Amino acid sequence: MPESELAVVSIDSFQAPALIARAGPTIRKKFFEFFTVPIRNANTRAAYYRAIQQFLAWAERAGYQDIEDIEPITVAAYIEALRRQTIKTTPPDANGFSKRKRLVGRWD
């Protein structure tokens, strides 16, 4: 691969969410490495990054100030909050309608 195709990314150029930045250099480095080393697909990397940003923003709004305070129960509470939000804000979709239609019978 020619050198012109190589991209060097430094930890300082990588924007970390506030909870990660406050956690110190070791946690910040681990966060950076997670998004730059094992995830090769750029779309997957971007999706994971958006998901963690949303989770950490939610955690801050919930009052968490330190990453060390986040436990598995915190993640479970976030998932439940997402589930409830989805139920409230998602209108019935065509797929759901199709499933209900199959339960009642064909309308052809």
Side-chain angles (χ1 to χ4, degrees), residues 21-39:
R22 281 196 301 266
T26 302
I27 297 296
R28 184 176 163 96
K29 181 180 179 197
K30 287 180 181 184
F31 185 80
F32 172 74
E33 287 174 346
F34 174 79
F35 285 103
T36 57
V37 178
I39 307 171

Side-chain angles (χ1 to χ4, degrees), residues 29-106:
K29 181 180 179 197
K30 287 180 181 184
F31 185 80
F32 172 74
E33 287 174 346
F34 174 79
F35 285 103
T36 57
V37 178
I39 307 171
R40 302 308 325 144
N41 183 286
N43 292 329
T44 301
R45 187 180 309 120
Y48 284 13
Y49 187 72
R50 278 190 307 275
I52 195 67
Q53 282 183 312
Q54 291 167 353
F55 169 71
L56 292 175
W58 174 88
E60 283 196 273
R61 287 192 307 274
Y64 290 91
Q65 295 298 311
D66 297 311
I67 195 77
E68 294 84 10
D69 294 334
I70 295 175
E71 297 181 1
I73 192 73
T74 310
V75 177
Y78 174 69
I79 291 169
E80 181 63 18
L82 284 180
R83 187 188 68 76
R84 287 182 183 179
Q85 178 184 356
T86 301
I87 289 171
K88 288 181 184 177
T89 62
T90 304
D93 64 352
N95 189 30
F97 177 77
S98 297
K99 288 177 185 174
R100 287 189 296 278
K101 184 173 132 179
R102 281 193 302 270
L103 289 174
V104 174
R106 297 196 55 86

